Every structure is written in structure tokens, then in C-alpha cells.
Amino acid sequence: DSGVTQTPKHLITATGQRVTLRCSPRSGDLSVYWYQQSLDQGLQFLIQYYNGEERAKGNILERFSAQQFPDLHSELNLSSLELGDSALYFCASSGGQNQPQHFGDGTRLSIL
Amino acid sequence: GENVEQHPSTLSVQEGDSAVIKCTYSDSASNYFPWYKQELGKGPQLIIDIRSNVGEKKDQRIAVTLNKTAKHFSLHITETQPEDSAVYFCAAPWPGSDYKLSFGAGTTVTVRA
């Protein structure tokens, strides 16, 4: 058990809808990272937050946004969903700069 | 981001034999190289990592070697067991990043009993 908790485990929704994925980092970790894993693109970095502030962006679509709250949990918001957004979404956390990242078990998002 | 190439994409070994997975990266300034193991239905699990100030690191049956000149690093699993069957990913940080990672495409390792 990595100590990173993601909810829900599975999410099924339709095109055009909006969903929110939640992540609770390991106790004491200040950094949260979001990744998308799909069969054709592999594991792709989306965005990173550190102690409530956005620190880095990767291949994140404008339809996607995230935030980190004062209690350090994070949410990834996906809107105007398309079939191609179907993927596994992982959250990872680390203690800060130069610290290893530990992943949760992901949320499987299916768009019908 | 960092361009990370991983080979082979699949690897089948007999139980007890060794498995080797190789990755290359493009940014000579990269200084941190983790390896993850992902089992079905689970998230990637960090199994070992290496920083650029060392050439080799070992943890029981797992070892990682780093060649900074050639810009490649390898995962070695010795005395493989059925529970080593999984998908393995290498990663390297994006240039100038705070450890946002770029992952290889993964290697599916199957250990035959």
C-alpha cells in the first residue's frame, strides 16, 4: 500500500459530461502529481501541485483542471468529456523536491 | 518533455533466470532515474531508483545501472520468480523539472514456472 488514496476507483459517464477525481496524498507529502495512462499514449504527466500551488504543467488539455486544497488533498476536474478521455488517471505524491513519487491505484474513467 | 525509450516491450524468462530491461534518455542534465512495477489493477509501484552521482544500486534481487556518458540505464532482476511478472516502467525527469517524470512505454515481463 503506497498510502496514496484515489476515489472513485471506477467512473462511467457520457460524452460532454464533467467529472471530478479525488486524491489524498501520503501523510506529510506536500507534492501531488496527476498522470494519465492510456494504451496509445502510455503514462503521461498532466500537472503538479506543491503545498496548494501549481508548480508544473505537462500534457494537460484546457478542458482539464486541478487544484490542491489546504488539507493537501487534490482534485482533477475533467469537463466536456470525449471518448478519447477514457483512461486510467493516477495521482502520485512526494515529500517535495528531489523526493520519490508514490502512486495511488488510479481511477478508471470510461466514456460511453 | 524528456524522451525516454524502453526496450524490450515484452520479455519472457524461465523462473530462476535473469531479466534485463534497458532505457535511454535524451537530456544529459537528467539526474534521477526511477523504476516502477505495475501489476494488473494497481498503480505503478516504485521498486528502485538511482541518482546520477552513482553508477549502480542494488536492493536484494533488483539492481539498476546508469551510464551517464551513453545516457542509458538498466534494470536487472536476478533469480526471477513468478511474482516478478508485471509491467515495468523506467522514467526520467523533464529538463529543469521538479521531478515531473517522463515514462518509458513499459516492458511486460512474464516469468515462466
Side-chain angles (χ1 to χ4, degrees), chain A residues 33 35 37 43 45 48 55 57 90 97-98 100-101 103-105, chain B residues 32 36 38 42-44 46 49 51 89 94 98-101 103:
Chain A
Y33 308 76
Y35 291 85
Q37 187 177 42
L43 202 56
F45 168 77
Q48 177 203 358
R55 285 292 294 269
K57 269 189 173 180
F90 288 103
Q97 191 170 357
N98 300 339
Q101 295 179 31
F103 283 73
D105 284 338
Chain B
Y32 174 68
Y36 287 85
Q38 187 175 20
K42 298 288 187 181
L46 180 68
D49 56 12
R51 300 184 188 271
F89 294 94
W94 287 35
D98 179 15
Y99 287 94
K100 60 180 183 179
L101 298 174
F103 283 79

Side-chain angles (χ1 to χ4, degrees), chain B residues 7-12 106-110:
Chain B
H7 299 280
S9 57
T10 61
L11 183 58
S12 179
T107 297
T108 301
V109 173
T110 303

Side-chain angles (χ1 to χ4, degrees), chain A residues 15-32:
Chain A
T15 55
Q17 296 298 304
R18 173 189 170 93
V19 297
T20 297
L21 313 182
R22 182 189 170 98
C23 169
S24 293
R26 294 190 317 163
S27 178
D29 282 358
L30 299 178
S31 275
V32 169

Side-chain angles (χ1 to χ4, degrees), chain B residues 11-21 61-62 75-85 88 109-113:
Chain B
L11 183 58
S12 179
V13 297
Q14 189 68 37
E15 182 177 359
D17 288 349
S18 295
V20 180
I21 304 169
R61 295 186 297 107
I62 293 173
L75 178 72
H76 304 253
I77 307 173
T78 59
E79 300 173 23
T80 54
Q81 301 169 4
E83 53 264 37
D84 294 329
S85 296
Y88 292 81
V109 173
T110 303
V111 179
R112 307 187 305 272

Side-chain angles (χ1 to χ4, degrees), chain A residues 52-71:
Chain A
E53 295 190 0
E54 182 185 305
R55 285 292 294 269
K57 269 189 173 180
N59 305 317
I60 189 166
L61 299 172
E62 287 191 6
R63 301 184 285 109
F64 296 180
S65 64
Q67 51 185 331
Q68 186 179 26
F69 295 86
D71 67 353

Side-chain angles (χ1 to χ4, degrees), chain A residues 56-109:
Chain A
K57 269 189 173 180
N59 305 317
I60 189 166
L61 299 172
E62 287 191 6
R63 301 184 285 109
F64 296 180
S65 64
Q67 51 185 331
Q68 186 179 26
F69 295 86
D71 67 353
L72 300 178
H73 92 270
S74 178
E75 293 180 355
L76 179 67
N77 301 296
L78 315 177
S79 62
S80 303
L81 287 167
E82 302 176 357
L83 293 176
D85 297 328
S86 295
L88 279 164
Y89 291 85
F90 288 103
C91 167
S93 74
S94 72
Q97 191 170 357
N98 300 339
Q99 297 300 311
Q101 295 179 31
H102 299 272
F103 283 73
D105 284 338
T107 294
R108 180 176 294 278
L109 176 63

